[in-house]
Amino acid sequence: AIPKTQWAQVLERHGEGVTYKQIPVPEPGPDEVLVNIKYSGVCHTDLHAVKGDWPLERKLPLVGGHEGAGIVVAKGSLATGIEIGDHAGVKWLNGSCLSCEFCRKSDEPLCAKALLSGYTVDGTFQQYSIAKAAHVSKIPKHVALDAIAPVLCAGVTVYKGLKESGARPGETVAIVGAGGGLGSLAQQYAKAMGLHIVAIDGGDEKKAMCESLGAEAYVDFTKSKDLVKDVQKATPDGLGPHAVILVAVSELPFQQAADYVRSRGTIVAIGLPANAFLKAPVFNTVVRMITIKGSYVGNRQDGDEAIDFFARGLIKSPFKTVPLSELGKVYELMEQGKIAGRYVLEMPN
Ligand code: 8ID
Ligand code: ZN
């Protein structure tokens, strides 16, 4: 039976941390499902939401979280394509209108009416979470719900970003912020796609992790005296990476990428540091034919494909599991840049 109340992590007011408390279990609307969340990944986006980093208004009070893996326990009368008992993932895109030009052309993240889990609607840092039936991802039953959780945002996002980069098998991708949540998954997806990988991050713990995930070279931004040269030297022919996947949470690497990317190469901005700007020399961008673009989560098909890579055993990324009650500690470590890989929260029983 579905209880009336549940445990959740709630951001009550701007300027505060999260509070672990009991709140009512929500009821799904006609086109929605209720998912009994078993595990939820913690994305840096959730920390941006707590801090109010972005020029995008959030719901308050707010239950954060958007990497929720669990089991469908109730559904509305118009909810199709997913059944009670199915394993399901609740992603950043909680819902979209499905009828605007962006939705019709499978760019649902660009829908002006998109609902965002853990931002404009309550997310997955609670035992029972609601999402539009059209947008939850089905998870095959043989897939572990703790390990798949980070795929639901980090995995989908980097998989989409790699596709948007246009990098072809055999080419080289630089992953900037490679030791974090998105970066660790980006290495595994890049490896599965047959790309050479140059990982960029700081510290020896992240170095060891990157080397175990498939990076052929690691450039430590805290130690390198000439990062541009070091990244170029780390590519097989010394000409720089064909693509750069930017998942760091600071501005400087967004300025550096145009200096080391290969001519004709593509820079994909994914990380969302507060108040940051992209800046590149016009002359080099023109005469070296550099592409600079953004990439924002993925559509429903990207989600299913990213899960399918995982289900086929191609994606193995490190994560640590702690109880939902410890979210505040995870945010502290994340703020200090001390997390190698991802933290996953386990819901109480
Ligand atoms: O759809 C999207 N575009 C999307 C989806 C999901 C997340 C965007 N994001 C954004 C998040 O909001 C966040 O801004 O991607 C960013 C990364 O999220 P994350 O992977 O969850 O963050 P993390 O685990 O804290 O990893 C960040 C890594 O960047 C490194 C840190 O050491 C850390 O490992 N880093 C930093 I900070 N500065 C660096 C630098 N100068 C750097 N790595 C290399 N060079
Ligand atoms: Zn995320």
Side-chain angles (χ1 to χ4, degrees):
I2 301 164
K4 292 267 176 286
T5 60
Q6 58 165 341
W7 286 103
Q9 287 281 8
V10 184
L11 174 69
E12 305 274 8
R13 277 168 293 272
H14 179 70
E16 291 182 2
V18 287
T19 309
Y20 188 56
K21 62 186 276 199
Q22 291 256 333
I23 63 168
V25 171
E27 271 181 39
D31 59 346
E32 294 173 340
V33 294
L34 184 67
V35 181
N36 177 15
I37 302 291
K38 298 295 183 189
Y39 295 94
S40 177
V42 184
C43 179
H44 207 115
T45 290
D46 300 309
L47 179 56
H48 289 304
V50 170
K51 291 162 68 183
D53 276 344
W54 297 342
L56 177 66
E57 209 170 318
R58 65 206 187 308
K59 169 185 181 291
L60 280 175
L62 173 69
V63 177
H66 57 273
E67 287 182 347
I71 299 164
V72 177
V73 290
K75 59 179 232 170
S77 56
L78 303 175
T80 54
I82 187 128
E83 301 304 328
I84 290 171
D86 281 349
H87 290 192
V90 177
K91 307 186 300 298
W92 177 246
L93 219 66
N94 191 279
S96 72
C97 82
L98 303 178
S99 60
C100 70
E101 182 186 311
F102 296 112
C103 285
R104 290 198 312 266
K105 290 183 171 170
S106 78
D107 266 334
E108 300 100 306
L110 308 183
C111 173
K113 292 181 182 155
L115 305 173
L116 309 176
S117 304
Y119 203 93
T120 64
V121 296
D122 284 341
T124 58
F125 296 155
Q126 56 182 342
Q127 293 173 278
Y128 293 89
S129 182
I130 280 181
K132 298 290 179 193
H135 274 280
V136 289
S137 296
K138 250 197 228 173
I139 298 172
K141 288 207 169 140
H142 75 273
V143 166
L145 290 175
D146 53 355
I148 196 72
V151 169
L152 298 168
C153 174
V156 177
T157 300
V158 299
Y159 172 64
K160 176 70 159 188
L162 284 162
K163 287 205 289 185
E164 288 285 319
S165 80
R168 315 274 304 163
E171 296 185 339
T172 302
V173 60
I175 298 166
V176 189
L182 268 65
S184 56
L185 278 149
Q187 293 180 72
Q188 287 278 289
Y189 280 93
K191 191 180 171 194
M193 292 171 170
L195 295 159
H196 294 282
I197 300 161
V198 177
I200 306 166
D201 211 308
D204 290 339
E205 188 190 358
K206 289 178 182 172
K207 177 175 196 276
M209 188 192 79
C210 290
E211 285 167 355
S212 77
L213 288 173
E216 289 152 50
Y218 178 79
V219 177
D220 190 325
F221 79 94
T222 65
K223 290 182 186 157
S224 171
K225 300 231 156 52
D226 188 341
L227 188 105
V228 170
K229 253 206 201 105
D230 287 346
V231 173
Q232 288 178 326
K233 266 198 296 191
T235 60
D237 61 4
L239 294 177
H242 298 80
V244 183
I245 303 291
L246 289 165
V247 289
V249 193
S250 62
E251 186 177 27
L252 180 64
F254 287 76
Q255 323 287 11
Q256 290 168 324
D259 291 333
Y260 59 69
V261 72
R262 178 181 297 248
S263 294
R264 236 320 168 204
T266 300
I267 297 166
V268 185
I270 293 177
L272 291 159
N275 308 310
F277 287 83
L278 273 161
K279 197 173 160 209
V282 171
F283 184 81
N284 274 336
T285 306
V286 173
V287 305
R288 301 212 296 109
M289 295 187 71
I290 295 167
T291 301
I292 303 174
K293 66 196 297 191
S295 187
Y296 181 41
V297 287
N299 62 28
R300 291 173 288 167
Q301 179 67 20
D302 297 318
D304 286 353
E305 290 174 15
I307 291 170
D308 180 57
F309 267 64
F310 186 94
R312 282 184 280 154
L314 298 170
I315 308 298
K316 292 201 171 65
S317 199
F319 64 92
K320 289 193 185 113
T321 308
V322 295
L324 174 66
S325 57
E326 289 184 23
L327 176 60
K329 286 182 205 162
V330 176
Y331 282 150
E332 273 175 43
L333 291 172
M334 187 176 268
E335 181 80 61
Q336 297 161 7
K338 282 189 184 153
I339 300 176
R342 214 21 148 214
Y343 267 93
V344 170
L345 303 174
E346 181 173 12
M347 300 300 140
N349 272 315

